[in-house]
Amino acid sequence: MSAKSRPSRKDVGKIETIEEVVKKHDIDTVYHMAAILSATGEKNPQLCWHVNMDGTMNILELGLKYEMARIIVPSSIAVWGAGVPLDDTPQETVLKPTTMYGVTKVCGELLGDYYVQRFGLDVRGLRYPGIISHETLPGGGTTDYSVEIFYEAVDKGKYECFLKEDTMLPMMYMPDCINGTIQLAEADFSKLKHHCDFNHAATSFNPTQLAAEIKKHIPGFEITYKPDYRQEIADSWPNSIDDSAAREEWGWKPEWDLSSMTEDMLKHLRERKEAGTLYER
Ligand code: SER
């Protein structure tokens, strides 16, 4: 996007700047994606709270004021922490996150559900796993390795991973994430038993498995491991999650797995490398 066509930056934590946009464009549906993710959140927990909580509250308040049709507030696998079953983590289980990001996501789910029950506002949300995209560069999360690895594989043929080789995490390719989010947004509200906390899954893998998949396309690819502070965050999150509530209540079904996603990611990034625009956005 050129600087000319880039929308001006807004602070979601300042309600007046967002209200201006809502009024100007007569907005009746918000996909509220603004958030500070887990790794950045641990470097600045106060900023994480401000953006994630004040931001969400502002959007919900504007939803009420302007009688919006619908607000979608994504949550995350970061809602989980100590005491949770790590395999096939169920929809209903203990939520004891250890990161500020996770704390804000649990609060965001509860806040959204509160606005549904108390004010009848149509708010919906789903717990995103690590999202992998060839359009968006990693943005300060613990699952970022799963995006960085593709860029470095295409660019340099090697990658130093900040998580341990056997760190299994739930992951999803961006097209599934977009489809799922739109499916939930368009679902019949009266059929939803949950609102802001749907488990949302596609696949799960660890760095060794992802590297092996990349090697099928780039045989010389090498991965090394140098775990940092993000390892502890990753260790507090599930290996895989049970998304049967999403499947039953709004028909969720993923289309991409590790193998098809890897092939597609590499195809797009190789094209961009050839065009000399690998890191351009
Ligand atoms: N991708 C996010 C993170 O790593 C999890 O929702 O923080």
Side-chain angles (χ1 to χ4, degrees), residues 62-257:
L62 292 172
L64 282 184
K65 185 168 174 186
Y66 292 91
E67 298 179 354
M68 286 186 196
R70 186 158 309 146
I71 295 174
I72 294 88
V73 185
S75 182
S76 164
I77 53 171
V79 293
W80 290 300
V84 77
L86 293 180
D87 292 312
D88 279 330
T89 304
Q91 179 67 45
E92 310 299 343
T93 186
V94 60
L95 302 177
K96 286 190 178 238
T98 50
T99 60
M100 179 55 98
Y101 176 61
V103 169
T104 65
K105 285 297 163 187
V106 173
C107 294
E109 290 181 357
L110 294 171
L111 194 62
D113 282 346
Y114 177 80
Y115 273 68
V116 173
Q117 287 147 26
R118 176 78 167 76
F119 303 115
L121 192 64
D122 182 339
V123 193
R124 307 162 185 214
L126 64 183
R127 292 168 176 159
Y128 284 163
I131 306 296
I132 297 159
S133 162
H134 56 80
E135 292 291 341
T136 311
L137 288 165
T142 300
T143 58
D144 286 8
Y145 94 85
S146 61
V147 185
E148 287 172 7
I149 192 172
F150 284 105
Y151 281 82
E152 305 249 329
V154 167
D155 200 18
K156 303 183 184 123
K158 58 180 186 180
Y159 177 63
E160 184 176 88
C161 185
F162 60 75
L163 295 182
K164 284 195 290 195
E165 58 200 50
D166 58 351
T167 311
M168 188 72 94
L169 287 168
M171 299 281 184
M172 181 178 284
Y173 197 28
M174 185 61 98
D176 268 341
C177 175
I178 293 172
N179 282 343
T181 306
I182 293 173
Q183 272 169 31
L184 171 60
E186 292 179 348
D188 182 346
F189 191 72
S190 66
K191 299 226 165 82
L192 300 182
K193 294 185 202 110
H194 297 83
H195 293 102
C196 298
D197 61 356
F198 283 101
N199 285 5
H200 190 216
T203 182
S204 279
F205 52 78
N206 63 35
T208 310
Q209 291 165 325
L210 178 53
E213 203 56 43
I214 291 173
K215 271 189 202 174
K216 289 184 187 165
H217 304 268
I218 306 176
F221 175 66
E222 280 174 27
I223 184 163
T224 50
Y225 298 93
K226 196 176 172 197
D228 65 16
Y229 72 101
R230 289 169 281 193
Q231 184 65 47
E232 201 181 324
I233 302 176
D235 288 343
S236 74
W237 292 352
N239 302 327
S240 60
I241 54 186
D242 172 5
D243 62 359
S244 42
R247 289 173 186 255
E248 280 157 27
E249 292 179 44
W250 46 276
W252 165 240
K253 194 166 176 285
E255 286 175 6
W256 295 82
D257 60 15

Side-chain angles (χ1 to χ4, degrees), residues 10-29:
K10 302 285 174 193
D11 179 353
V12 74
K14 290 195 183 123
I15 195 163
E16 59 285 0
T17 66
I18 305 300
E19 185 162 10
E20 243 173 59
V21 182
V22 169
K23 276 203 285 201
K24 183 171 171 198
H25 299 285
D26 197 17
I27 287 170
D28 72 347
T29 302

